[in-house]
Amino acid sequence: MTIVGATASERAAPRRQLTILGTAIDLMPASDVLARLGDAPAAAGWQLAFVNAHSLNLAHEDPEFRAVLGRCRLVLNDGIGVKLAAAMRGVRIDENLNGSDFTWRVLTVAAANGWRVFLYGGLPGVGASAAGRLRARIGGLEIAGVLDGYQPLTGEQVAGAVSRASADVV
């Protein structure tokens, strides 16, 4: 999803972050994250990332990956490892905003706003199956396209497929 400028909820709420292994993680309740998403104008361009202990270790070792996370509008905590690392630094994380659970809520916001969703990754056929299940579970959700993660495509080719689908959320 692409977003330009701060949304109304971003201007209203101060940003609270914790840096673990060089990656800043946004500490906010799910309701604040969803409000920021809901305020976002369609096709304005920004990224939301979920980080767990493994991805934080990878980012610590890989400056390019750490830079990608640094460019995300929001980086959310995913898993007990992040919660434990925060606790060791005296910071309490109340909600686990893991991608597998929180994505349902993000897709509900997408449906409510009429945003087109593109599913990328997984084995051949899994995306199409997931698209059907998501449509059945989230009324009004528009799946703009599906692409499995096993095709030998470059990043530019994947980006082209997403662009041709006029997707708002990937």
Side-chain angles (χ1 to χ4, degrees):
M1 177 170 27
T2 307
I3 299 173
V4 176
T7 65
S9 56
E10 285 175 319
R11 289 188 299 273
R15 190 169 182 173
R16 186 173 156 244
Q17 293 182 312
L18 172 66
T19 299
I20 299 175
L21 296 175
T23 297
I25 302 167
D26 293 286
L27 304 176
M28 63 180 58
S31 58
D32 288 358
V33 175
L34 294 170
R36 288 179 187 215
L37 291 174
D39 286 349
W46 61 278
Q47 288 90 28
L48 163 72
F50 300 94
V51 293
N52 58 24
H54 178 66
S55 59
L56 289 172
N57 280 316
L58 290 175
H60 181 69
E61 297 295 324
D62 183 345
E64 287 183 42
F65 181 45
R66 188 171 53 251
V68 168
L69 292 174
R71 290 190 299 269
C72 291
R73 179 67 63 95
L74 292 174
V75 177
L76 304 177
N77 58 294
D78 182 348
I80 191 68
V82 177
K83 186 173 185 169
L84 290 172
M88 290 170 58
R89 301 194 53 208
V91 176
R92 180 184 167 116
I93 294 178
D94 293 321
E95 286 184 87
N96 181 18
L97 303 178
N98 65 336
S100 58
D101 294 334
F102 195 65
T103 298
W104 291 105
R105 297 171 77 180
V106 171
L107 293 176
T108 300
V109 171
N113 285 285
W115 297 339
R116 296 168 53 84
V117 175
F118 191 97
L119 303 177
Y120 174 61
L123 292 167
V126 171
S129 176
R133 289 178 184 211
L134 288 169
R135 283 186 195 107
R137 183 169 174 179
I138 303 171
L141 183 65
E142 184 177 355
I143 304 294
V146 176
L147 185 62
D148 72 67
Y150 287 80
Q151 297 185 33
L153 301 175
T154 66
E156 290 79 19
Q157 290 171 315
V158 172
V162 171
S163 179
R164 285 187 299 279
S166 299
D168 301 304
V169 177
V170 180

